[in-house]
Amino acid sequence: LICPESWFELLLERGGVVGGAPDVLNAQKTRVVPAGKMCAEDLATLTRLAGRATDCGREIRSPQSDSWQVLFLQTNGFFEDQAPHLLKRLADIARSVALKEKWVTMEQADRLQARVIEWHQQDAPGPGIPDPRHYDMDSLITVDVMCSEPGRDFLGGQLQTLEVDGLKEHSFQLCDILVFQAHKYHCVAPVVQGCRRALVLEFWDGPARHCPHRCTSFERICPQENRHGEHTTRKALGRLLPF
């Protein structure tokens, strides 16, 4: 048997991901930071990209239906090629907030790269993210962008974080950008009507990924990069994973 610390050190020796993800308990002391709004033009660009992302990886995360689907827009550099200005803006926001909140060092901020760029769509009835202790394991910073209008396009689907006094609901309106430490517990209430769409980016201290999934490889290049063909998977369910 190997202890978690030794296992993690072996992964870091692969030379791809540097590490430095925040301690989970310390991450709970941090806040969710509103970081402005995405303009209508950028939102329209996002919507068009999601509609054209036929060669991107896709994952079904709802246990008994196709109501929750995730497109991995980083696949084969799709998002980076099609919307480089938008990726740079969101990365700059992640770095700026992380430095201001003292979540990362200057050296870490300079090395931050997009681990995954996810387009989430949940059609009612959608499960949300039910685990109140869900967090984005091994990433440093998470950026969420709301791409639907709550109350008009969908009902339910509130973003919540687990605080010392219980679940806290965060205001998350159309085009809002929220930034938080990736290891902060967060969940989403069930979508009870309509369709909820959101963009989620995770940044880590490692190479920019172009593989068709949420990468868990610590290699310099993910073994699944540059694979073509069908990329649809169904996430393993039946237990609550922290990531």
Side-chain angles (χ1 to χ4, degrees):
L1 295 177
I2 186 171
C3 69
E5 291 79 10
S6 298
W7 172 81
F8 194 68
E9 288 174 2
L10 287 172
L11 288 177
L12 295 182
E13 288 175 3
R14 300 284 188 169
V17 177
V18 177
D23 176 83
V24 173
L25 293 180
N26 287 338
Q28 308 321 311
K29 303 172 186 176
T30 63
R31 68 190 185 108
V32 175
V33 179
K37 297 182 82 73
M38 178 175 285
C39 68
E41 181 180 353
D42 285 342
L43 178 61
T45 296
L46 268 180
T47 304
R48 286 195 302 269
L49 288 181
R52 292 167 42 208
T54 54
D55 291 330
C56 289
R58 183 171 68 98
E59 186 173 79
I60 299 168
R61 292 189 178 173
S62 40
Q64 297 176 342
S65 71
D66 294 348
S67 63
W68 179 15
Q69 299 195 25
V70 179
L71 283 171
F72 298 102
L73 298 182
Q74 81 280 354
T75 304
N76 296 328
F78 175 73
F79 193 89
E80 185 176 357
D81 291 342
Q82 299 296 316
H85 68 288
L86 184 52
L87 178 57
K88 181 181 185 302
R89 182 186 173 219
L90 293 170
D92 286 346
I93 288 172
R95 293 186 184 100
S96 175
V97 171
L99 284 170
K100 184 176 181 180
E101 298 291 319
K102 297 182 170 56
W103 296 339
V104 298
T105 65
M106 184 66 74
E107 291 76 15
Q108 285 177 314
D110 289 340
R111 295 193 301 262
L112 283 181
Q113 297 288 344
R115 173 190 191 173
V116 69
I117 305 171
E118 299 177 340
W119 175 265
H120 288 249
Q121 178 169 316
Q122 280 206 37
D123 295 301
I129 300 177
D131 183 5
R133 286 181 169 81
H134 165 92
Y135 63 94
D136 301 327
M137 180 180 276
D138 293 331
S139 292
L140 274 68
I141 307 299
T142 297
V143 177
D144 283 7
V145 183
M146 177 52 69
C147 301
S148 299
E149 186 172 347
R152 190 190 74 173
D153 296 327
F154 69 95
L155 297 178
Q158 298 90 346
L159 178 68
Q160 302 168 319
T161 55
L162 185 59
E163 309 294 341
V164 293
D165 54 350
L167 286 175
K168 176 182 178 180
E169 182 179 318
H170 295 271
S171 176
F172 197 22
Q173 301 301 311
L174 178 64
C175 294
D176 280 355
I177 301 172
L178 299 180
V179 183
F180 50 92
Q181 267 202 350
H183 281 199
K184 185 174 180 65
Y185 296 146
H186 56 283
C187 59
V188 175
V191 177
V192 298
Q193 183 176 313
C195 179
R196 181 188 192 271
R197 297 182 178 91
L199 183 74
V200 178
L201 299 92
E202 294 179 32
F203 293 90
W204 67 354
D205 194 344
R209 288 304 198 210
H210 301 125
C211 39
H213 62 149
R214 183 182 182 274
C215 192
T216 56
S217 171
F218 277 41
E219 304 282 354
R220 195 172 288 109
I221 299 175
C222 174
Q224 292 196 45
E225 284 200 14
N226 299 318
R227 286 176 52 188
H228 298 281
E230 181 62 38
H231 296 308
T232 301
T233 60
R234 185 177 291 274
K235 188 167 184 177
L237 296 160
R239 59 193 178 103
L240 294 178
L241 299 174
F243 51 89

